Amino acid sequence: LRQANYDILTGLPNRMLALDRLKLALAQARRDESKVGVMFLDLDNFKHINDTLGHDAGDTLLIEAARRISSCLRGTSTVARLGGDEFLVVLPGLNGPDASSQVAERILKTFAPPFMLSGQEVFVTTSIGIATFPDDSDNSGTLLQHADAAMYEAKHKGKSAYARFTPEMSEVSHERLQMESHMRKALELGEFELYFQPIVDTASGGLVAAEALLRWNNPAMGMVMPDRFIPLAEETGLIIPIGEWVVKEACQAAYCWQAMTGREISIAVNVSPRQFRDPGFTDAIMRALNDSNLRPELLELEITERLILDNSIETADILKQLDKVGIRLSVDDFGTGYSALSYLKSYPFDTLKIDKSFVQDVLKENEDASLVRAIINMAHSLGLKVVAEGVEEEDQTHFLKAEHCDYSQGYFYSRPLPEQDFIHWLETNERANLK
Ligand code: C2E
Ligand code: MG
Ligand code: MG
């Protein structure tokens, strides 16, 4: 009986017993016209901890998490482990709409102290979604789905957060599911396409490189922009095969242009932190270079500051390895993420890309101009090249020239273009520059 109803690891009720309890609680609530809170919890980055610290550490974490969640609840509530790192909390007899929020806040608070895992202090957070009977639904299955949708919303808010269900969320979670299933087939069906945006020498306006930007052409959804699907690709791990495809295509394209124009054009490729966690990452990069014959010095990997924050990845080792073979490395969206600058000197970066949010107001806001100026000077004194992103107006190029910003990229020069259009741009731009 115990085995059928309880989770062996944590001793908590399992999914089956949890659903029974939920149905009982709903029946009771119908009789006395009370409310029931249904809470869906998912630990943030659990898979990551499991992968890096091992399964024993993962188990210890689940047991301790179960204990912490239980400590926040009254006797009439149920905590269950649904599987993996997912927990369900049933809160019967809620009085007032804030009662479940208060419980959620208590739970988030008990996750604040570090967990001791394999002799290390590890900070773990959880995301919580809440649905309420009868406000959100009177059906146990639907309540669970709604709480799950709210949980995704909480994750989106930036983790260690809770969210209550709202009707718009069920559309979002439906769209998510749909997108995920489309995405699984997209590579096979050839729905991905690379666009290329020129990166020019600020002083001369001549082309030096292109950034490969991913587009997803789906018959049902139309053209999907990366901001809409990359987060989901990261969450589902699909970014690994997609990222491999991107770097392979990008290297091939750059080699093609070289053969066509007789001169070397670098190619910049965006990589997600998630790709660094894949043990096959560096091999995939090397394979793309070998297969395309592109010189490693012509490949530049763009990395966001998020990666440096993620100190559980052997970031430094991987970056050094890539640096050793000659691949260039740049910090993308500089200035929007982490503000500890020490990483700039300890990691082998070559380039710093100033985020477009600073470049955009460089002529309107004094502070932005000062920031851009300071970033350029700092980068140069560290021996880094600088790219200004999001250059849209001619006046900005004057400012950037005066400040000796090495390279520029933005709509002023060209929007990201499909490969054929890019080749056309390349030819006309070359001619213009020869004149
Ligand atoms: P990013 O790497 O910072 O790329 C620059 C983004 O700024 C691109 O958006 C580009 O279209 C846009 N942009 C360029 N010039 C201007 C301008 O003058 N004004 C304005 N307002 N925007 C400009 P896009 O193509 O939508 O890509 C968004 C983000 O998605 C990229 O930001 C990058 O972080 C990510 N991404 C794109 N392709 C890939 C990929 O293959 N792999 C991964 N992991 N991420 C990718
Ligand atoms: Mg980029
Ligand atoms: Mg950027």
Side-chain angles (χ1 to χ4, degrees), residues 197 211 213-215 225-227 230 239 246 270-272 275 302 332-333 356 360 389-392 410-411 416:
Q197 187 176 33
E211 175 170 3
L213 294 160
L214 187 58
R215 300 290 180 263
M225 299 301 275
D227 287 337
I230 298 271
I239 192 68
V246 169
N270 295 286
V271 285
S272 300
Q275 290 171 263
E302 297 193 356
D332 203 352
D333 306 334
K356 49 179 175 289
Q360 242 138 29
E389 290 190 290
V391 178
E392 295 184 355
Y411 296 166

Side-chain angles (χ1 to χ4, degrees), residues 193-266:
E193 181 183 3
L194 288 186
Y195 272 43
F196 298 96
Q197 187 176 33
I199 299 174
V200 305
D201 180 272
T202 310
S204 71
L207 181 83
V208 287
E211 175 170 3
L213 294 160
L214 187 58
R215 300 290 180 263
W216 176 16
N217 302 303
N218 180 270
M221 295 182 290
M223 186 193 278
V224 193
M225 299 301 275
D227 287 337
R228 246 185 91 203
F229 70 87
I230 298 271
L232 184 58
E234 291 179 341
E235 256 174 64
T236 53
L238 286 168
I239 192 68
I240 306 291
I242 296 173
E244 276 187 43
W245 180 87
V246 169
V247 71
K248 188 174 115 250
E249 287 286 310
C251 289
Q252 265 169 16
Y255 188 79
C256 248
W257 306 333
Q258 187 181 325
M260 241 169 49
T261 60
R263 71 185 192 87
E264 297 190 313
I265 298 161
S266 297

Side-chain angles (χ1 to χ4, degrees), residues 331-335 352-359 371-373 375-376 386-390 400 405:
V331 185
D332 203 352
D333 306 334
F334 181 78
L352 202 153
K353 299 190 78 172
I354 307 179
D355 189 64
K356 49 179 175 289
S357 56
F358 300 109
V359 177
L371 272 176
V372 169
R373 195 174 293 131
I375 295 172
I376 295 171
V386 184
V387 181
E389 290 190 290
L400 293 166
C405 177

Side-chain angles (χ1 to χ4, degrees), residues 160-172:
S160 189
Y162 72 91
R164 310 175 133 279
F165 175 76
T166 61
E168 301 87 67
M169 286 179 194
S170 56
E171 283 158 36
V172 172

Side-chain angles (χ1 to χ4, degrees), residues 177-190:
L177 279 176
Q178 213 176 13
M179 193 183 265
E180 184 176 335
S181 75
H182 283 313
M183 204 189 292
R184 291 197 182 276
K185 292 176 230 136
L187 262 184
E188 231 177 282
L189 296 174

Side-chain angles (χ1 to χ4, degrees), residues 18-185:
L19 294 185
D20 272 357
R21 295 256 179 99
L22 175 59
K23 283 183 190 145
L24 278 177
L26 296 188
Q28 179 71 36
R30 272 184 207 108
R31 281 196 295 274
D32 36 72
E33 296 183 6
S34 62
K35 290 184 193 260
V36 178
V38 177
M39 228 177 228
F40 205 100
L41 279 91
D42 186 292
L43 303 185
D44 301 325
N45 303 325
F46 176 73
K47 192 179 169 319
H48 185 185
I49 291 166
N50 230 3
D51 290 350
T52 50
L53 297 180
H55 290 270
D56 285 345
D59 285 355
T60 311
L61 170 57
L62 289 170
I63 294 167
E64 175 64 11
R67 202 191 55 73
R68 291 193 192 183
I69 298 166
S70 307
S71 74
C72 300
L73 303 167
R74 290 181 285 135
T76 50
S77 313
T78 298
V79 194
R81 180 172 172 223
L82 294 182
D85 60 341
E86 291 175 353
F87 296 88
L88 180 76
V89 176
V90 181
L91 303 166
L94 281 190
N95 43 23
D98 291 336
S100 57
S101 300
Q102 280 163 12
V103 176
E105 273 162 24
R106 274 211 300 277
I107 294 177
L108 293 180
K109 230 192 225 147
T110 58
F111 274 75
F115 289 75
M116 277 306 282
L117 305 175
S118 314
Q120 284 184 50
E121 284 194 345
V122 180
F123 289 90
V124 181
T125 54
T126 179
S127 300
I128 306 175
I130 307 169
T132 310
F133 168 91
D135 309 4
D136 299 324
S137 168
D138 60 1
N139 166 289
S140 60
T142 314
L143 280 168
L144 277 176
Q145 273 171 22
H146 286 355
D148 188 32
M151 191 276 294
Y152 272 110
E153 184 71 19
K155 287 241 187 236
H156 241 93
K157 278 200 213 163
K159 313 200 165 160
S160 189
Y162 72 91
R164 310 175 133 279
F165 175 76
T166 61
E168 301 87 67
M169 286 179 194
S170 56
E171 283 158 36
V172 172
S173 73
H174 182 72
E175 190 193 90
R176 214 190 102 90
L177 279 176
Q178 213 176 13
M179 193 183 265
E180 184 176 335
S181 75
H182 283 313
M183 204 189 292
R184 291 197 182 276
K185 292 176 230 136

Side-chain angles (χ1 to χ4, degrees), residues 304-338:
T304 59
E305 292 172 305
R306 263 196 301 150
L307 175 73
I308 289 114
L309 252 180
D310 203 336
N311 53 17
S312 49
I313 311 178
E314 311 298 328
T315 311
D317 289 346
I318 301 173
L319 291 181
K320 274 184 202 127
Q321 229 175 310
L322 297 167
D323 178 63
K324 239 206 227 79
V325 294
I327 294 168
R328 316 244 155 213
L329 300 166
S330 59
V331 185
D332 203 352
D333 306 334
F334 181 78
T336 58
Y338 196 35

